Amino acid sequence: NAGVTQTPKFQVLKTGQSMTLQCAQDMNHEYMSWYRQDPGMGLRLIHYSVGAGITDQGEVPNGYNVSRSTTEDFPLRLLSAAPSQTSVYFCASSFQGLNAFFGQGTRLTVV
Amino acid sequence: GESVGLHLPTLSVQEGDNSIINCAYSNSASDYFIWYKQESGKGPQFIIDIRSNMDKRQGQRVTVLLNKTVKHLSLQIAATQPGDSAVYFCAERAVYNQGGKLIFGQGTELSVKP
């Protein structure tokens, strides 16, 4: 049972480039979320989804897009990377919003 | 506790002592709370949770206390071990929000001295 799997683990982008962070879970959870974590801070919610075909914005959605075509996958797209998006990104899944399981994170640097 | 800015609150304890980590939550409508442990370079890991209709819940070496009157949550770790060294986050879920939308505190760094 893999839980929540994020790829890649590390990524360096140039300003203006786009990319997609992948997230997959094998627990059949309907709820999935993306967070970013900056040094010395807690996690801030970017986008979340309560099921396939349903997404909504969190606290810091600007510059990011998501889609949820299947229960298992919840990719996060950076449309035009900016240095302010340098962060560690975590994907999480849960059953009805309880006890969220987190992936190991993607460390993104935008230069 | 909570802090603003880049410096996490730090709690330093001796191995074998009990640790108490505090958290003030923001929304009186929150119905569910979780404590997470995050080790360096890893994702947050579930420790224990509690619903708003409870005041106390115990796990293995950990206890969570909830005081809804003052919107305060605490995590007690008994007989703290070096492996407990990590950053601890509390998270709350507002009752009107069913989307797995947890709001996290800024975290407390626990340092255990052998």
Side-chain angles (χ1 to χ4, degrees):
Chain A
N1 190 341
V4 179
T5 303
Q6 290 183 236
T7 55
K9 288 187 170 53
F10 301 93
Q11 182 71 51
V12 178
L13 288 179
K14 293 182 179 179
T15 298
Q17 286 185 314
S18 62
M19 79 159 295
T20 298
L21 279 63
Q22 302 291 344
C23 177
Q25 54 95 5
D26 61 0
M27 296 172 281
N28 202 32
H29 287 162
E30 71 275 22
Y31 291 179
M32 296 186 75
S33 310
W34 275 102
Y35 295 85
R36 62 176 288 173
Q37 184 175 34
D38 298 302
M41 297 181 68
L43 287 84
R44 292 184 293 168
L45 182 68
I46 305 172
H47 286 286
Y48 66 104
S49 169
V50 300
I54 306 170
T55 64
D56 205 348
Q57 295 182 348
E59 302 169 70
V60 288
N62 293 340
Y64 308 95
N65 273 357
V66 292
S67 60
R68 185 93 180 272
S69 56
T70 67
T71 299
E72 294 78 18
D73 300 298
F74 191 42
L76 178 72
R77 297 183 188 85
L78 278 69
L79 307 173
S80 177
S84 61
Q85 294 179 304
T86 293
S87 188
V88 181
Y89 292 84
F90 289 101
C91 178
S93 75
S94 68
F95 174 68
Q96 294 186 347
L98 306 176
N99 183 8
F101 289 83
F102 284 81
Q104 291 300 297
T106 295
R107 295 182 179 275
L108 176 68
T109 302
V110 182
V111 297
Chain B
E2 302 290 338
S3 72
V4 177
L6 299 178
H7 301 288
L8 288 175
T10 300
L11 175 64
S12 184
V13 301
Q14 205 69 37
E15 181 179 359
D17 287 351
N18 296 335
S19 302
I20 300 175
I21 301 171
N22 297 304
C23 177
Y25 64 92
S26 58
N27 194 327
S28 57
S30 293
D31 69 337
Y32 176 71
F33 305 88
I34 312 176
W35 278 102
Y36 284 95
K37 172 186 180 183
Q38 187 177 27
E39 296 172 292
S40 180
K42 297 184 178 181
Q45 180 184 5
F46 172 87
I47 302 174
I48 192 168
D49 59 1
I50 188 168
R51 292 184 183 265
S52 59
N53 60 354
M54 301 173 68
D55 296 323
K56 179 179 179 179
R57 190 163 187 224
Q58 288 183 295
Q60 187 175 10
R61 277 201 311 118
V62 294
T63 300
V64 55
L65 299 177
L66 176 63
N67 185 331
K68 295 181 287 293
T69 302
V70 295
K71 293 191 287 187
H72 184 268
L73 197 64
S74 69
L75 176 70
Q76 301 177 358
I77 304 173
T80 313
Q81 302 168 359
D84 294 327
S85 293
V87 177
Y88 290 80
F89 294 98
C90 65
E92 60 182 298
R93 185 189 76 171
V95 68
Y96 55 78
N97 182 342
Q98 301 300 312
K101 191 173 170 179
L102 295 173
I103 305 299
F104 283 79
Q106 290 186 326
T108 296
E109 184 171 6
L110 176 65
S111 176
V112 182
K113 294 178 287 188

